[in-house]
Amino acid sequence: MSKQEKNNPILDNRSSRRTFIKNSGLTVGGLVLGGALGTLVGGKTETTSHTKTSGATHTAIDYSDTRQFFVRQKDFDALSTAAELIYPEDEHGPGAITLGAPYFIDKQLASPWGISTDDYRKGPFQPGEVPLDKAEIMLQGVRKLNEVSEKEHEGTVFKDLTEEQQIAILTSFQAGEVEMDLVNSAAFFALLRTLTLQGCFSDPLYGGNKNMAGWKMKEFPGAQMSYTSYLEEEEFVLIEPISLGGHKHS
């Protein structure tokens, strides 16, 4: 982490959603693709209904808000709280929790990507490399959030602290000041931040960006098959976004 980043942590600049989106715009563009490269483990966010030939209507259950990786509620609560601090709800739109980012992260960590299946991970390790996979880093990190919180605030878990106290703890992680096993806390914070933004803006097919609300905030059209019908338009055309899973095949 550079000296400039330490002096200007993201958490201190969280009051302006518009500024944050502007500053992270280039990153988000890559994240939409990055989410697609992560895993195919995801859930459809919309509930669908099917009419049987007998006339009875069967409503499918929406499993998008189910967990595959985090077993303990306490861990998932810490993750959700931290994600919302990084991308909070404000006057411009929903935050990380409403967008489903915690469930997106859960599904990614449960996938082969979470255990770094495709990464070469044998030593010797170079500076900055760690022997842990992404799932191990995230699980240790969210448990450390609660551990630090309970130690510094008389047994109070992270989600029950005041926002000021939560930001102070997250900032210490961002600065690499929290001791973790085999990984720097700044690396955990960077991974948490990246996954949170991916959960807010990647294709809903992967479990986040619920109802494509993240794309709607950025007026991003999503996975359009073609733009030829708009080529002659002189003015900006606001296109209703569509997910990769929203295309119908005959």
Side-chain angles (χ1 to χ4, degrees):
M1 179 179 300
S2 68
K3 182 177 180 181
Q4 183 179 4
E5 289 171 322
K6 289 184 178 180
N7 293 334
N8 187 27
I10 182 176
L11 294 169
D12 289 342
N13 297 321
R14 56 192 289 280
S15 59
S16 172
R17 168 68 62 79
R18 187 175 297 278
T19 300
F20 178 81
I21 291 177
K22 179 181 178 181
N23 291 341
S24 61
L26 293 176
T27 304
V28 169
L31 293 176
V32 174
L33 176 60
L37 295 175
T39 176
L40 291 178
V41 178
K44 296 184 65 175
T45 57
E46 63 267 23
T47 300
T48 56
S49 299
H50 306 281
T51 302
K52 298 181 179 178
T53 53
S54 62
T57 300
H58 171 68
T59 301
I61 299 174
D62 182 2
Y63 291 103
S64 59
D65 288 351
T66 55
R67 300 200 301 263
Q68 301 177 13
F69 177 77
F70 287 98
V71 177
R72 305 196 314 182
Q73 185 64 43
K74 184 178 177 181
D75 297 337
F76 191 72
D77 287 343
L79 169 70
S80 300
T81 303
E84 185 70 15
L85 285 169
I86 290 172
Y87 200 79
E89 182 170 344
D90 65 10
E91 70 275 15
H92 300 295
I97 291 178
T98 303
L99 289 168
Y103 287 102
F104 166 86
I105 296 172
D106 176 85
K107 292 176 174 61
Q108 298 302 308
L109 298 179
S111 74
W113 179 87
I115 57 174
S116 305
T117 300
D118 295 329
D119 297 341
Y120 182 82
R121 296 172 52 239
K122 290 187 177 180
F125 296 98
Q126 301 298 319
E129 297 177 340
V130 296
L132 306 178
D133 60 42
K134 301 175 188 72
E136 291 171 326
I137 294 172
M138 287 298 295
L139 185 59
Q140 182 188 168
V142 297
R143 289 183 175 177
K144 185 66 81 171
L145 284 173
N146 277 327
E147 181 181 321
V148 172
S149 173
E150 292 173 324
K151 181 179 179 181
E152 295 183 356
H153 299 283
E154 301 178 342
T156 304
V157 294
F158 185 69
K159 77 177 183 66
D160 292 332
L161 297 178
T162 65
E163 184 175 283
E164 184 179 35
Q165 292 169 331
Q166 292 167 347
I167 290 175
I169 290 178
L170 265 190
T171 302
S172 66
F173 275 80
Q174 183 185 16
E177 297 172 351
V178 179
E179 185 176 348
M180 295 179 63
D181 295 331
L182 302 176
V183 63
N184 189 294
S185 66
F188 158 70
F189 179 85
L191 181 58
L192 171 64
R193 177 178 180 270
T194 297
L195 286 172
T196 297
L197 295 179
Q198 287 180 339
C200 293
F201 295 105
S202 63
D203 194 292
L205 180 69
Y206 305 102
N209 189 14
K210 198 164 189 175
N211 299 321
M212 295 181 281
W215 287 353
K216 292 173 182 175
M217 279 193 288
K218 294 182 69 66
E219 299 180 343
F220 179 68
Q224 302 289 328
M225 291 296 101
S226 172
Y227 294 94
T228 54
S229 61
Y230 307 106
L231 290 179
E232 302 299 327
E233 298 289 341
E234 296 290 339
E235 303 294 332
F236 175 78
V237 178
L238 182 61
I239 304 173
E240 187 68 18
I242 186 170
S243 164
L244 284 170
H247 294 281
K248 297 180 179 179
H249 303 281
S250 58

